[in-house]
Amino acid sequence: MKIPYIVSATALLAVSSLSLAQPPQQAPQDTSMSFFITSTNMGDGGNLGGLAGADAHCAALASAVGSTGKTWRAYLSTTGANGVNARDRIGSGPWFNVKGELIANNVADLHYSNTNLTKQKSLTEKGTVNNGVGDSPNQHDVLTGTNPDGTASNLNCNNWTSNAADVQATVGHADRVGGGPMASSWNASHVSRGCGAENLVASGGNGYFYCFAE
């Protein structure tokens, strides 16, 4: 009666093989830069050349500091027939600053429960801190055209094509401080005084915006 012995030996061999099997190795999480505030403006106030121009500016700044292999999107909303919400064009996360510090795990975290968007972590692509309240000059206003939940507001410098003084844009506070009931909002603190370069400076900004890798 050797059959039971053969079966037992086979089972033993299977168990032995399983015990020697190594668990699958998970790839390490990519914590390279996938978020930054632009360190330079585009030179024409709120006229960014539309979303395409703003996205290209994000990509150029990222490339200049050695970032490769990512598709960059400006965190900007537009309205009208081809309007888009900023929250819908930046990917799903997670996002990290240039130092590898977590900014947000996902879109919901970014807009509802996030605590990592601070002056010290909302860095430029160069790793510098954006000027805020108490700095000279204060440049904490960041162009978004967006409501707190990441959907489009109606104020976006004519879909980021205008530098006129009589049109406006919704801006957030990169340092999350300042005056007014929405001062702590990173993406929807108040409205700019206009879309000209001088108007944006007068409001407390300099034509900067957020960039995310989708």
Side-chain angles (χ1 to χ4, degrees):
M1 297 293 294
K2 294 183 178 181
I3 294 177
Y5 175 78
I6 295 173
V7 172
S8 298
T10 302
L12 181 61
L13 179 59
V15 171
S16 177
S17 297
L18 286 174
S19 66
L20 294 175
Q22 296 297 317
Q25 296 295 313
Q26 293 184 346
Q29 186 174 46
D30 179 9
T31 61
S32 62
M33 182 180 71
S34 49
F35 160 87
F36 62 88
I37 297 175
T38 56
S39 64
T40 60
N41 60 42
M42 296 186 66
D44 197 17
N47 179 11
L48 310 177
L51 292 178
D55 290 346
H57 189 57
C58 288
L61 293 179
S63 178
V65 295
S67 176
T68 60
K70 290 182 169 67
T71 300
W72 290 93
R73 301 293 185 214
Y75 183 89
L76 298 169
S77 293
T78 56
T79 51
N82 297 310
V84 62
N85 300 321
R87 64 177 293 137
D88 297 330
R89 64 186 321 267
I90 59 172
S92 59
W95 300 280
F96 300 85
N97 67 15
V98 68
K99 292 184 177 180
E101 297 171 317
L102 179 68
I103 294 301
N105 281 304
N106 49 54
V107 173
D109 180 32
L110 182 67
H111 291 95
Y112 299 112
S113 60
N114 181 269
T115 58
N116 291 332
L117 274 166
T118 64
K119 179 180 179 180
Q120 291 71 33
K121 289 188 177 181
S122 297
L123 304 175
T124 71
E125 79 283 357
K126 297 179 180 179
T128 57
V129 175
N130 184 69
N131 277 11
V133 172
D135 299 321
S136 183
N138 175 20
Q139 298 178 334
H140 67 171
D141 286 0
V142 182
L143 299 170
T144 66
T146 300
N147 297 314
D149 64 355
T151 59
S153 74
N154 292 320
L155 300 169
N156 51 39
C157 297
N158 286 341
N159 287 334
W160 313 111
T161 64
S162 176
N163 62 4
D166 61 350
V167 294
Q168 298 172 306
T170 304
V171 300
H173 283 168
D175 57 357
R176 306 185 77 167
V177 298
M182 296 294 292
S184 64
S185 175
W186 66 275
N187 66 344
S189 292
H190 60 87
V191 174
S192 69
R193 297 185 184 181
C195 286
E198 298 83 1
N199 306 126
L200 298 179
V201 170
S203 300
N206 198 26
Y208 302 141
F209 47 91
Y210 300 109
C211 298
F212 288 80
E214 64 170 349

